[in-house]
mmCIF file of all heavy atoms in Angstrom:
data_model
loop_
_atom_site.group_PDB
_atom_site.id
_atom_site.type_symbol
_atom_site.label_atom_id
_atom_site.label_comp_id
_atom_site.label_asym_id
_atom_site.label_seq_id
_atom_site.Cartn_x
_atom_site.Cartn_y
_atom_site.Cartn_z
ATOM 1 N N GLY A 905 -11.022 8.572 -7.538
ATOM 2 C CA GLY A 905 -11.152 7.151 -7.545
ATOM 3 C C GLY A 905 -9.759 6.499 -7.489
ATOM 4 O O GLY A 905 -9.648 5.316 -7.563
ATOM 5 N N LEU A 906 -8.737 7.345 -7.262
ATOM 6 C CA LEU A 906 -7.327 6.757 -7.171
ATOM 7 C C LEU A 906 -6.940 6.384 -5.778
ATOM 8 O O LEU A 906 -5.939 5.626 -5.559
ATOM 9 C CB LEU A 906 -6.395 7.710 -7.790
ATOM 10 C CG LEU A 906 -6.694 8.094 -9.266
ATOM 11 C CD1 LEU A 906 -5.861 9.227 -9.754
ATOM 12 C CD2 LEU A 906 -6.270 6.800 -10.093
ATOM 13 N N PHE A 907 -7.724 6.855 -4.881
ATOM 14 C CA PHE A 907 -7.332 6.475 -3.396
ATOM 15 C C PHE A 907 -8.556 5.883 -2.788
ATOM 16 O O PHE A 907 -9.758 6.226 -3.047
ATOM 17 C CB PHE A 907 -7.041 7.830 -2.647
ATOM 18 C CG PHE A 907 -5.847 8.483 -3.280
ATOM 19 C CD1 PHE A 907 -6.065 9.604 -4.077
ATOM 20 C CD2 PHE A 907 -4.571 8.172 -2.774
ATOM 21 C CE1 PHE A 907 -4.846 10.239 -4.517
ATOM 22 C CE2 PHE A 907 -3.430 8.886 -3.364
ATOM 23 C CZ PHE A 907 -3.613 9.807 -4.204
ATOM 24 N N HIS A 908 -8.312 4.946 -1.854
ATOM 25 C CA HIS A 908 -9.501 4.142 -1.193
ATOM 26 C C HIS A 908 -9.856 4.580 0.151
ATOM 27 O O HIS A 908 -10.777 4.170 0.631
ATOM 28 C CB HIS A 908 -9.365 2.648 -1.381
ATOM 29 C CG HIS A 908 -8.069 2.271 -0.672
ATOM 30 N ND1 HIS A 908 -7.803 2.036 0.641
ATOM 31 C CD2 HIS A 908 -6.817 1.857 -1.260
ATOM 32 C CE1 HIS A 908 -6.742 1.643 0.923
ATOM 33 N NE2 HIS A 908 -6.063 1.444 -0.215
ATOM 34 N N ASP A 909 -8.862 5.364 0.809
ATOM 35 C CA ASP A 909 -9.189 5.898 2.111
ATOM 36 C C ASP A 909 -8.336 7.054 2.398
ATOM 37 O O ASP A 909 -7.330 7.409 1.631
ATOM 38 C CB ASP A 909 -8.821 4.754 3.102
ATOM 39 C CG ASP A 909 -9.558 4.834 4.427
ATOM 40 O OD1 ASP A 909 -10.376 5.792 4.640
ATOM 41 O OD2 ASP A 909 -9.337 4.039 5.295
ATOM 42 N N TYR A 910 -8.577 7.696 3.500
ATOM 43 C CA TYR A 910 -7.900 8.872 3.894
ATOM 44 C C TYR A 910 -8.021 8.997 5.410
ATOM 45 O O TYR A 910 -8.859 8.519 6.054
ATOM 46 C CB TYR A 910 -8.314 10.159 3.160
ATOM 47 C CG TYR A 910 -9.616 10.700 3.618
ATOM 48 C CD1 TYR A 910 -9.686 11.558 4.741
ATOM 49 C CD2 TYR A 910 -10.751 10.084 3.073
ATOM 50 C CE1 TYR A 910 -10.903 12.092 5.176
ATOM 51 C CE2 TYR A 910 -12.090 10.638 3.616
ATOM 52 C CZ TYR A 910 -12.116 11.613 4.718
ATOM 53 O OH TYR A 910 -13.346 11.988 5.106
ATOM 54 N N ARG A 911 -7.136 9.862 5.908
ATOM 55 C CA ARG A 911 -7.365 10.476 7.281
ATOM 56 C C ARG A 911 -6.576 11.783 7.382
ATOM 57 O O ARG A 911 -5.727 12.043 6.581
ATOM 58 C CB ARG A 911 -6.758 9.506 8.433
ATOM 59 C CG ARG A 911 -5.297 9.530 8.422
ATOM 60 C CD ARG A 911 -4.632 8.645 9.551
ATOM 61 N NE ARG A 911 -5.124 7.297 9.227
ATOM 62 C CZ ARG A 911 -4.360 6.177 9.542
ATOM 63 N NH1 ARG A 911 -3.311 6.411 10.299
ATOM 64 N NH2 ARG A 911 -4.667 5.075 9.200
ATOM 65 N N ILE A 912 -7.104 12.675 8.300
ATOM 66 C CA ILE A 912 -6.552 13.943 8.401
ATOM 67 C C ILE A 912 -6.159 13.967 10.018
ATOM 68 O O ILE A 912 -7.164 13.723 10.802
ATOM 69 C CB ILE A 912 -7.325 15.071 7.968
ATOM 70 C CG1 ILE A 912 -6.535 16.407 8.154
ATOM 71 C CG2 ILE A 912 -8.704 15.177 8.542
ATOM 72 C CD1 ILE A 912 -7.090 17.583 7.313
ATOM 73 N N CYS A 913 -5.010 14.461 10.328
ATOM 74 C CA CYS A 913 -4.573 14.529 11.697
ATOM 75 C C CYS A 913 -3.970 15.794 11.998
ATOM 76 O O CYS A 913 -3.444 16.389 11.175
ATOM 77 C CB CYS A 913 -3.630 13.396 12.100
ATOM 78 S SG CYS A 913 -4.237 11.724 11.700
ATOM 79 N N ARG A 914 -4.181 16.222 13.313
ATOM 80 C CA ARG A 914 -3.474 17.354 13.787
ATOM 81 C C ARG A 914 -2.151 16.985 14.529
ATOM 82 O O ARG A 914 -2.298 16.053 15.370
ATOM 83 C CB ARG A 914 -4.267 18.296 14.673
ATOM 84 C CG ARG A 914 -3.539 19.494 15.203
ATOM 85 C CD ARG A 914 -4.467 20.474 15.901
ATOM 86 N NE ARG A 914 -3.690 21.646 16.352
ATOM 87 C CZ ARG A 914 -4.161 22.648 17.061
ATOM 88 N NH1 ARG A 914 -5.501 22.796 17.096
ATOM 89 N NH2 ARG A 914 -3.499 23.636 17.333
ATOM 90 N N LEU A 915 -1.039 17.516 14.269
ATOM 91 C CA LEU A 915 0.169 17.023 14.823
ATOM 92 C C LEU A 915 0.278 17.628 16.200
ATOM 93 O O LEU A 915 -0.092 18.829 16.283
ATOM 94 C CB LEU A 915 1.444 17.543 14.012
ATOM 95 C CG LEU A 915 1.828 16.578 12.928
ATOM 96 C CD1 LEU A 915 0.851 16.437 11.794
ATOM 97 C CD2 LEU A 915 3.094 17.051 12.293
ATOM 98 N N LEU A 916 0.579 16.920 17.146
ATOM 99 C CA LEU A 916 0.808 17.305 18.542
ATOM 100 C C LEU A 916 2.199 17.438 18.786
ATOM 101 O O LEU A 916 3.128 17.058 18.062
ATOM 102 C CB LEU A 916 0.215 16.254 19.539
ATOM 103 C CG LEU A 916 -1.359 15.850 19.253
ATOM 104 C CD1 LEU A 916 -1.763 14.865 20.230
ATOM 105 C CD2 LEU A 916 -2.155 17.255 19.471
ATOM 106 N N GLU A 917 2.526 18.163 19.940
ATOM 107 C CA GLU A 917 3.898 18.470 20.380
ATOM 108 C C GLU A 917 4.647 19.076 19.218
ATOM 109 O O GLU A 917 5.833 18.931 19.073
ATOM 110 C CB GLU A 917 4.577 17.057 20.730
ATOM 111 C CG GLU A 917 3.861 16.362 21.837
ATOM 112 C CD GLU A 917 4.485 15.242 22.420
ATOM 113 O OE1 GLU A 917 5.586 14.755 21.756
ATOM 114 O OE2 GLU A 917 4.141 14.675 23.384
ATOM 115 N N GLN A 918 3.935 20.134 18.628
ATOM 116 C CA GLN A 918 4.520 20.896 17.545
ATOM 117 C C GLN A 918 4.620 22.370 18.117
ATOM 118 O O GLN A 918 3.721 22.753 18.892
ATOM 119 C CB GLN A 918 3.922 20.850 16.295
ATOM 120 C CG GLN A 918 3.852 19.498 15.597
ATOM 121 C CD GLN A 918 5.173 19.128 15.233
ATOM 122 O OE1 GLN A 918 5.886 19.815 14.425
ATOM 123 N NE2 GLN A 918 5.622 17.917 15.588
ATOM 124 N N ASP A 919 5.379 23.191 17.608
ATOM 125 C CA ASP A 919 5.355 24.577 17.996
ATOM 126 C C ASP A 919 4.186 25.233 17.205
ATOM 127 O O ASP A 919 4.279 25.344 15.988
ATOM 128 C CB ASP A 919 6.654 25.312 17.486
ATOM 129 C CG ASP A 919 6.693 26.767 17.766
ATOM 130 O OD1 ASP A 919 5.673 27.289 18.320
ATOM 131 O OD2 ASP A 919 7.686 27.460 17.465
ATOM 132 N N ASP A 920 3.137 25.517 17.793
ATOM 133 C CA ASP A 920 1.897 26.125 17.176
ATOM 134 C C ASP A 920 1.817 27.612 17.383
ATOM 135 O O ASP A 920 0.777 28.143 17.180
ATOM 136 C CB ASP A 920 0.675 25.440 17.880
ATOM 137 C CG ASP A 920 0.350 24.006 17.403
ATOM 138 O OD1 ASP A 920 1.056 23.632 16.504
ATOM 139 O OD2 ASP A 920 -0.632 23.433 17.819
ATOM 140 N N GLN A 921 2.999 28.222 17.691
ATOM 141 C CA GLN A 921 2.940 29.630 17.736
ATOM 142 C C GLN A 921 2.507 30.415 16.523
ATOM 143 O O GLN A 921 1.626 31.316 16.478
ATOM 144 C CB GLN A 921 4.337 30.111 18.086
ATOM 145 C CG GLN A 921 4.368 31.670 18.389
ATOM 146 C CD GLN A 921 5.815 32.113 18.857
ATOM 147 O OE1 GLN A 921 6.710 31.284 19.103
ATOM 148 N NE2 GLN A 921 5.903 33.394 18.918
ATOM 149 N N ASP A 922 2.816 29.887 15.402
ATOM 150 C CA ASP A 922 2.431 30.461 14.114
ATOM 151 C C ASP A 922 1.210 29.782 13.511
ATOM 152 O O ASP A 922 0.574 30.267 12.553
ATOM 153 C CB ASP A 922 3.482 30.334 13.038
ATOM 154 C CG ASP A 922 4.734 31.165 13.473
ATOM 155 O OD1 ASP A 922 4.584 32.201 14.095
ATOM 156 O OD2 ASP A 922 5.885 30.713 13.163
ATOM 157 N N GLY A 923 0.687 28.714 14.070
ATOM 158 C CA GLY A 923 -0.427 28.035 13.629
ATOM 159 C C GLY A 923 -0.245 26.613 13.735
ATOM 160 O O GLY A 923 0.750 26.089 13.907
ATOM 161 N N PRO A 924 -1.277 25.727 13.694
ATOM 162 C CA PRO A 924 -1.318 24.409 13.873
ATOM 163 C C PRO A 924 -0.704 23.727 12.456
ATOM 164 O O PRO A 924 -0.813 24.228 11.444
ATOM 165 C CB PRO A 924 -2.727 23.948 14.031
ATOM 166 C CG PRO A 924 -3.552 25.118 13.486
ATOM 167 C CD PRO A 924 -2.741 26.324 13.590
ATOM 168 N N THR A 925 -0.267 22.450 12.733
ATOM 169 C CA THR A 925 0.130 21.667 11.657
ATOM 170 C C THR A 925 -0.837 20.385 11.495
ATOM 171 O O THR A 925 -1.026 19.835 12.479
ATOM 172 C CB THR A 925 1.635 21.191 11.904
ATOM 173 O OG1 THR A 925 2.405 22.408 12.072
ATOM 174 C CG2 THR A 925 2.073 20.362 10.701
ATOM 175 N N TYR A 926 -1.044 20.064 10.346
ATOM 176 C CA TYR A 926 -1.979 18.977 9.932
ATOM 177 C C TYR A 926 -1.207 17.988 9.032
ATOM 178 O O TYR A 926 -0.413 18.395 8.209
ATOM 179 C CB TYR A 926 -3.206 19.396 9.372
ATOM 180 C CG TYR A 926 -4.117 20.241 10.283
ATOM 181 C CD1 TYR A 926 -3.939 21.633 10.228
ATOM 182 C CD2 TYR A 926 -4.993 19.611 11.138
ATOM 183 C CE1 TYR A 926 -4.732 22.328 11.040
ATOM 184 C CE2 TYR A 926 -5.796 20.422 11.880
ATOM 185 C CZ TYR A 926 -5.708 21.794 11.890
ATOM 186 O OH TYR A 926 -6.440 22.610 12.786
ATOM 187 N N SER A 927 -1.603 16.657 9.041
ATOM 188 C CA SER A 927 -1.169 15.700 8.082
ATOM 189 C C SER A 927 -2.321 15.093 7.430
ATOM 190 O O SER A 927 -3.246 14.457 8.250
ATOM 191 C CB SER A 927 -0.261 14.668 8.891
ATOM 192 O OG SER A 927 -0.098 13.600 7.878
ATOM 193 N N ALA A 928 -2.526 15.211 6.235
ATOM 194 C CA ALA A 928 -3.623 14.502 5.508
ATOM 195 C C ALA A 928 -2.958 13.357 4.680
ATOM 196 O O ALA A 928 -2.017 13.540 4.054
ATOM 197 C CB ALA A 928 -4.302 15.438 4.463
ATOM 198 N N GLN A 929 -3.450 12.154 4.946
ATOM 199 C CA GLN A 929 -2.959 10.936 4.318
ATOM 200 C C GLN A 929 -3.951 10.346 3.420
ATOM 201 O O GLN A 929 -5.090 10.148 3.896
ATOM 202 C CB GLN A 929 -2.470 10.012 5.467
ATOM 203 C CG GLN A 929 -1.358 10.574 6.321
ATOM 204 C CD GLN A 929 -0.889 9.556 7.347
ATOM 205 O OE1 GLN A 929 -1.599 8.714 7.774
ATOM 206 N NE2 GLN A 929 0.381 9.763 7.818
ATOM 207 N N TYR A 930 -3.538 9.955 2.171
ATOM 208 C CA TYR A 930 -4.432 9.257 1.305
ATOM 209 C C TYR A 930 -3.780 8.009 0.893
ATOM 210 O O TYR A 930 -2.669 7.946 0.607
ATOM 211 C CB TYR A 930 -4.522 10.155 -0.025
ATOM 212 C CG TYR A 930 -4.919 11.529 0.368
ATOM 213 C CD1 TYR A 930 -4.069 12.656 0.625
ATOM 214 C CD2 TYR A 930 -6.339 11.982 0.439
ATOM 215 C CE1 TYR A 930 -4.518 13.920 0.866
ATOM 216 C CE2 TYR A 930 -6.622 13.265 0.786
ATOM 217 C CZ TYR A 930 -5.702 14.155 1.035
ATOM 218 O OH TYR A 930 -6.174 15.468 1.394
ATOM 219 N N PHE A 931 -4.695 6.916 0.953
ATOM 220 C CA PHE A 931 -4.155 5.546 0.792
ATOM 221 C C PHE A 931 -4.643 5.066 -0.578
ATOM 222 O O PHE A 931 -5.782 5.183 -0.986
ATOM 223 C CB PHE A 931 -4.741 4.705 1.811
ATOM 224 C CG PHE A 931 -4.399 5.054 3.319
ATOM 225 C CD1 PHE A 931 -5.191 6.054 3.903
ATOM 226 C CD2 PHE A 931 -3.165 4.726 3.901
ATOM 227 C CE1 PHE A 931 -4.840 6.552 5.123
ATOM 228 C CE2 PHE A 931 -2.805 5.226 5.107
ATOM 229 C CZ PHE A 931 -3.734 6.099 5.773
ATOM 230 N N THR A 932 -3.640 4.443 -1.264
ATOM 231 C CA THR A 932 -3.889 3.743 -2.508
ATOM 232 C C THR A 932 -3.077 2.502 -2.689
ATOM 233 O O THR A 932 -2.207 2.292 -1.889
ATOM 234 C CB THR A 932 -3.544 4.686 -3.743
ATOM 235 O OG1 THR A 932 -3.885 4.096 -4.924
ATOM 236 C CG2 THR A 932 -1.978 5.092 -3.695
ATOM 237 N N ASP A 933 -3.448 1.710 -3.540
ATOM 238 C CA ASP A 933 -2.802 0.360 -3.637
ATOM 239 C C ASP A 933 -1.654 0.315 -4.534
ATOM 240 O O ASP A 933 -0.789 -0.672 -4.354
ATOM 241 C CB ASP A 933 -3.946 -0.679 -4.151
ATOM 242 C CG ASP A 933 -4.971 -0.904 -3.182
ATOM 243 O OD1 ASP A 933 -4.713 -0.900 -1.983
ATOM 244 O OD2 ASP A 933 -6.103 -1.155 -3.695
ATOM 245 N N THR A 934 -1.517 1.172 -5.432
ATOM 246 C CA THR A 934 -0.323 1.213 -6.412
ATOM 247 C C THR A 934 0.323 2.517 -6.564
ATOM 248 O O THR A 934 -0.404 3.536 -6.389
ATOM 249 C CB THR A 934 -0.874 0.755 -7.737
ATOM 250 O OG1 THR A 934 -1.706 1.766 -8.349
ATOM 251 C CG2 THR A 934 -1.591 -0.586 -7.736
ATOM 252 N N LEU A 935 1.573 2.391 -6.753
ATOM 253 C CA LEU A 935 2.288 3.623 -7.047
ATOM 254 C C LEU A 935 1.911 4.430 -8.363
ATOM 255 O O LEU A 935 1.857 5.541 -8.664
ATOM 256 C CB LEU A 935 3.813 3.267 -7.217
ATOM 257 C CG LEU A 935 4.814 4.351 -6.975
ATOM 258 C CD1 LEU A 935 4.585 5.259 -5.760
ATOM 259 C CD2 LEU A 935 6.256 3.896 -7.012
ATOM 260 N N GLU A 936 1.221 3.513 -9.339
ATOM 261 C CA GLU A 936 0.796 4.019 -10.565
ATOM 262 C C GLU A 936 -0.411 4.989 -10.262
ATOM 263 O O GLU A 936 -0.565 5.860 -10.949
ATOM 264 C CB GLU A 936 0.321 2.957 -11.467
ATOM 265 C CG GLU A 936 1.489 2.131 -11.977
ATOM 266 C CD GLU A 936 2.163 1.195 -11.091
ATOM 267 O OE1 GLU A 936 1.475 0.801 -9.999
ATOM 268 O OE2 GLU A 936 3.349 0.717 -11.341
ATOM 269 N N ASN A 937 -1.361 4.552 -9.366
ATOM 270 C CA ASN A 937 -2.439 5.381 -8.929
ATOM 271 C C ASN A 937 -1.977 6.768 -8.473
ATOM 272 O O ASN A 937 -2.515 7.848 -8.834
ATOM 273 C CB ASN A 937 -3.307 4.727 -7.982
ATOM 274 C CG ASN A 937 -4.188 3.712 -8.505
ATOM 275 O OD1 ASN A 937 -4.309 3.534 -9.650
ATOM 276 N ND2 ASN A 937 -4.797 2.922 -7.502
ATOM 277 N N TYR A 938 -1.021 6.628 -7.581
ATOM 278 C CA TYR A 938 -0.355 7.905 -7.117
ATOM 279 C C TYR A 938 0.195 8.822 -8.227
ATOM 280 O O TYR A 938 0.038 10.049 -8.319
ATOM 281 C CB TYR A 938 0.837 7.679 -6.084
ATOM 282 C CG TYR A 938 1.665 8.837 -5.754
ATOM 283 C CD1 TYR A 938 1.196 9.877 -4.949
ATOM 284 C CD2 TYR A 938 2.910 8.963 -6.097
ATOM 285 C CE1 TYR A 938 2.002 10.962 -4.759
ATOM 286 C CE2 TYR A 938 3.729 9.827 -5.860
ATOM 287 C CZ TYR A 938 3.218 10.944 -5.178
ATOM 288 O OH TYR A 938 4.066 11.944 -4.858
ATOM 289 N N GLN A 939 1.053 8.224 -9.118
ATOM 290 C CA GLN A 939 1.438 9.015 -10.177
ATOM 291 C C GLN A 939 0.365 9.537 -11.129
ATOM 292 O O GLN A 939 0.519 10.714 -11.555
ATOM 293 C CB GLN A 939 2.397 8.099 -11.124
ATOM 294 C CG GLN A 939 3.621 7.665 -10.413
ATOM 295 C CD GLN A 939 4.646 8.777 -10.129
ATOM 296 O OE1 GLN A 939 4.568 9.870 -10.777
ATOM 297 N NE2 GLN A 939 5.484 8.551 -9.112
#
Side-chain angles (χ1 to χ4, degrees):
L906 297 167
F907 299 96
H908 58 76
D909 202 4
Y910 73 91
R911 76 175 65 147
I912 185 166
C913 306
R914 182 172 177 172
L915 277 64
L916 302 177
E917 298 183 353
Q918 297 293 306
D919 179 3
D920 283 354
Q921 183 176 356
D922 295 328
T925 303
Y926 296 91
S927 172
Q929 298 180 336
Y930 306 93
F931 301 87
T932 187
D933 292 324
T934 67
L935 202 50
E936 290 78 16
N937 283 351
Y938 165 72
Q939 292 293 337

